[in-house]
Structures are given as structure tokens and as C-alpha cells.
Amino acid sequence: MRSTRQAIALTLAGALAVSTLAACSSSGSGDDDGDGGSTDGGKVTLKVVSLLPGSEQEAIDAFNAQVEEFETANPDIDIEPEEYEWKATTFAAQLAGNTLPDVFEIPFTDAKTLVENGQLADLDAQFRELPYADKFNPAIIEAGTGPDGHVYAIPAKNVYGVGLHYNRDLFEAAGLDPDDPPTTWDEVREDAKTISDANEGVAGYMQMSQNNTGGWQLTVNTFARGGRTQEVADDGSATSTLSNEGTKDALEWLQAMRWEDNSLGSNFLLDWGTINQAFAAGQVAMYTSGSDVYTALVQTNAIDPEMYGLAALPLEGDDAGVLTGGTLAAMPADVDDAKKEAAMKWIDFFYLGKLVDEDRAVADAETLVANDQPVGTPVLPMFSQEQYEQNQEWIADQINVPLDQMTSYTDTMFDLPLVGEPSQKTQEIYALLDPVVQAVLTDENADIDALLEDADAQAQALLDQG
């Protein structure tokens, strides 16, 4: 039997499937007086997440245009954008050091622990004022809800299922059909070797391996082979199952590609940001990541749309599934009500209103298109399939992403067997798995069984802490 926390992760996946089928250092809690105050001459100053560091000027221009539109409509709020990239290895220190923006972003996996630790502001009263508050997929709202039933973190964007991203140009250069991407892991391996052999210095496939992304993507590969990395009982006790056959198969697959095929290139220390950069630069032909990553590739890596392809994640074995996750908007615990109210207006404007209101959807899309930014990147519905499809109709004239190069994913996205991320000690266990992935990629004699046995014991010790 599963605990409530495990059920949340799995309910997210199940409910999504059901509904779809039916940063500069600054104070994150106010002004220099340090008391959470938020006004300056009657104005609320709100520091918000803007874009990833190093974003293209067109993306910055689009964001600034959105800020200007918001401030015109809300003259009592002054928005101060801050570049931001969530990383598991730095976030805790940023939060403890009070160096985050007033409105920051976190993954679904982190909210419960942060709420339990008293580190997030209670946004329930402000959230309930949204006209569409009761329309969210309940499992998505649950991700940011505390044990008191209050909402502390708001679903903001990027509810994704993991997909296989591939470089169409590299496929074509290797004599492969870019309109026929691989559908099994054996085909991924075969195509990776073909591409590496035909394109000197190119990784036919590559796996993230640091800053917790190695563990994240190894979990993706585990789920896709029918394995699971932990089991949680009704009483909340958790058992680590890292030595399952799905995880072993995934690591053995990587080991063979690295040491038999030589198809993984030469850089074995990539994370989310650096693998995006390598992919956009034509150094990596295939990798797995969230379905929404195309937007970041445009905003930060100036990817050529003609070379991009998105395919469904290969699934093999009983109980195989696609890992799903998403992003929540949250605030530090000590912000005052004035900032909370300003933040909810910004969250409504920037993240959510465009999903449920036609005028807001069209205005947002027109602003993005005017600044050469992507509109229409595939994500999973935050409300329902019906609402998602309605939104796509509203912005049909503005959609500019190469959807015809993503059909392997989009044709199946509403039928994906979704699986939520492991519910307990998620990031800590991902961190334990980074060196396992790195060892397989850098040591020809890496003992996978021994590596997993050691990681399993460490993970269980973490889980036993509660």
C-alpha cells in the first residue's frame, strides 16, 4: 500500500491521464528594512523570476514587453525581473540566504518538504480569489498544498511528460529518416551509433549526469523500462528499490553504448543547461528531457527550428511509464499580504490567465511572436484536455513552433501512461545516483550491481530519516 505522499505523485500522473483523455542576488522578502515590508511610496515592489541566465535578447525583449503591459494595468505594482535557474545543488542555500526573488519557481518534487519546513508563504487566500481556482486538475493543486489544506505553491507552467529530443540534421547527415525517429531503446542505440560513426565528435545519444539530473534521467529511464525506485507504505515508511531490473537495464544500456559502440561522445558531465547547449550546437543528436524544453532551447540557445525534432519516449516492459513533472510558483515564508496580493496578480497575468481567457491568451501569444519567441510548445494540460485544446484554438494563428516535427510526441501525448516522480527524498536520492551514472560513463569496469547496492543502502538511510 502507498502513503499519501506517494499517492500524490501517482495521482498526479493518473489524474492527468484521466483529465486529458476526458538570478541576481537580492532580498527575497521585502525591502532593506528586513521586516518583509513591501511598499515604496504606496507602490509594491515585486521581484520576480524572469528568464534563464544567458537568454537571447529577443526573449528578454518579450519579457520586458510583458512587464510593461502588466505595470500599465497595475500602476501600483513595480516589477523587478531577476534571472533565475532552479538547481538542486544551489536552491537550498539561496532560500536560506534570502537571495531568491519574491516569486520564484520550484519543481513539483520540492513543495511538500518546503511547506513542512515552514519555508513557503501561505498563498491560499490569494489563490482562492482566482476566478478559475476550482478548475485546476486537483492532483496538480495537491502538489503545492500543505497538510493544513492550504495552497502554498501555485501551478505555474511546464506540466510535462518526458520525451526524446533529436537533431533532424544529424539524422539526415547519417542517412536516417528524420521523420521516422526511433521508437524502442534498441533503435535509439542503433541510430546513436550510426550518427556518431557518420559525424565525427558527435554524441549520437547523451545522458545528463550532474547537479541531480543524472538521477532524474536515470529515473526516467527506469520508469520507461517498467521499474520503480522506491515503494511507500500507508504508514509513510519508504523502501528504496534502486536495484530493480529497470534501473539495471538502463545502466547496462548506457554502458554498452559508451564502451562497445562509442556513441556517447566525450563530455560526460552534462546537466540540464549544458546538455541543452550541446544539443543546440549540434554536439548531441538525442537526449531525454521534458517535452517543454524547446522553449528554453529557443530563448537561451538560439536553436534553429528546422533541426529540432521531438519523439515519444520509448516504453518497454510491463508497467512502463513516462515520468511527469512540472513547475510551481512560490514565495518566501515572511512576505506580507501586500506582496502576496501583488504576486497573485502577476502569477495570474504571466503564467495562468492566458490558459483560460481568450483575450489574455491572444495578447500573450502576439507579444511573444512579435519578439520571435515560441508559441505552442507541447505541454500537458493544467486543467483538462478540453481546456488545453480550446486554448490552442485561441492562439492557432500565432503558433510558430514546428509542430509537424513533433508529431511522434504530440500524437500520443494524451495517451501517455504517466508516472509521478518518487515522492520521498527525491532530490537527495537523485544526487546519490549522479555518481552512479558518471561511473558507468567513465569507468569501463564499473560494477553496476555494486554501484546500485551501495546507492540503495544510502537511499534507504535517507528514507529512514523520515
Side-chain angles (χ1 to χ4, degrees), residues 166-178 181-182 191 195 285-286:
Y166 67 98
N167 184 314
R168 293 172 58 87
D169 290 348
L170 291 174
F171 266 66
E172 197 163 13
L176 299 171
D177 183 355
D191 288 354
I195 291 168
M286 290 182 283

Side-chain angles (χ1 to χ4, degrees), residues 49 106 139 143 317:
V49 169
I106 56 174

Side-chain angles (χ1 to χ4, degrees), residues 437-455:
V437 176
Q438 292 167 16
V440 168
L441 297 178
T442 59
D443 179 2
E444 186 172 3
N445 298 313
D447 185 333
I448 290 173
D449 286 336
L451 287 166
L452 286 179
E453 183 178 348
D454 182 56

